[in-house]
Amino acid sequence: MDDLIAALRGEVSGDFDGDDPGHDLSHLDRVCRLALKLREEEGGDPLVIAGTCYVHDYHRVIERRRGSSRAAVDRAVVDEHVVAALDRAGFPTSLVATICDCVAFTDRYSFSGHALDAPSVEAAIVRDADNLDALGAIGVARAFIFGGALGEPIWAEGDAKEVYEAGPTTSIVHHFHEKLLKLKDDMITAAGRRLAAERHDFMVAFLDELMAEWAVSSRPRDELPDPR
């Protein structure tokens, strides 16, 4: 297994070389480590889990090449990239369809109107691990580096959207309220929920301090929900 994962990591490294600072190779590494940690409690095929982790963000690569973070990427196009990377790395063909199903499930959120019916335990694990990397101190760092790359301000007045939509937001702080602070309650696995709670609390404390230092008036505070 280790040789296959190392081969896959090498195959995808050029596509995740840092052009997208929030979804680079280090993100894939962290998601893989988190997913294998969740697997210790949840079970599942480690090769499917680790393999999915290294190919789950190919839609980001396609969006970047098209020059739009809101480009609609057809699943078949994503699958082509995933299958090609797995093939080059020598992954068993019997696992490819399962991995593609897992990849398709990673961007499902109940707060976007999706049903969270995971096709497999592996899919649930990778999805939770991917979302865990959007929480806590790492999540704060990624939010600001990614939002900065999109040209978003730290904060701007305005209501947070109730239904999350992928793409640029009003401000980086809005992204916390529209997506990141909702991830804790969107976890599927028991292990993921436990880790998410700790990371969520850190983010709430960070936002409280940020808003206090920004000296935001009561009006914009009313426009955004209480992070708790």
Side-chain angles (χ1 to χ4, degrees):
M1 171 178 155
D2 290 346
D3 289 344
L4 279 175
I5 296 305
L8 181 59
R9 186 181 187 277
E11 290 296 335
V12 307
S13 60
D15 292 327
F16 296 93
D17 57 3
D19 286 345
D20 179 346
H23 306 91
D24 56 5
L25 189 61
S26 66
H27 165 64
L28 305 185
D29 287 336
R30 291 192 303 272
V31 172
C32 187
R33 288 192 293 269
L34 283 166
L36 292 176
K37 181 179 179 63
L38 297 183
R39 178 192 169 272
E40 294 174 2
E41 184 172 327
E42 304 293 337
D45 185 330
L47 189 54
V48 170
I49 291 169
T52 303
C53 290
Y54 279 103
V55 296
H56 80 278
D57 264 344
Y58 260 105
H59 65 289
R60 300 285 185 179
V61 174
I62 298 166
E63 288 171 353
R64 186 174 72 247
R65 290 173 179 171
R66 291 179 177 179
S68 173
S69 61
R70 280 184 169 157
V73 181
D74 186 78
R75 176 177 173 180
V77 177
V78 175
D79 283 352
E80 287 177 9
H81 286 73
V82 169
V83 171
L86 294 172
D87 182 63
R88 293 194 304 270
F91 258 65
T93 56
S94 59
L95 301 182
V96 171
T98 300
I99 290 175
C100 287
D101 287 341
C102 291
V103 169
F105 188 66
T106 56
D107 63 351
R108 298 294 185 263
Y109 308 102
S110 67
F111 49 85
S112 287
H114 297 131
L116 298 184
D117 299 324
S120 64
V121 64
E122 292 86 0
I125 286 171
V126 175
R127 177 192 172 277
D128 279 6
D130 187 31
N131 287 334
L132 281 169
D133 201 54
L135 296 173
I138 288 289
V140 169
R142 288 181 66 213
F144 279 91
I145 196 170
F146 188 60
L150 294 177
E152 296 176 358
I154 294 175
W155 158 255
E157 292 190 24
D159 294 337
K161 297 176 183 176
E162 290 297 325
V163 178
Y164 169 68
E165 297 176 1
T169 55
T170 303
S171 73
I172 296 171
V173 169
H174 279 74
H175 182 61
F176 279 89
H177 290 277
E178 292 172 2
K179 180 183 181 183
L180 304 185
L181 292 173
K182 297 179 180 180
L183 293 176
K184 174 178 70 73
D185 295 328
D186 224 44
M187 292 286 162
I188 298 173
T189 66
R193 287 193 294 272
R194 191 165 57 250
L195 291 174
E198 300 171 2
R199 296 186 177 208
H200 175 90
D201 289 346
F202 175 90
M203 287 176 51
V204 169
F206 170 82
L207 284 174
D208 282 346
E209 179 63 20
L210 175 66
M211 292 314 217
E213 292 182 12
W214 197 279
V216 179
S217 68
S218 61
R219 179 188 171 199
R221 274 192 178 275
D222 290 344
E223 290 172 345
L224 289 173
D226 188 321
R228 293 175 180 76

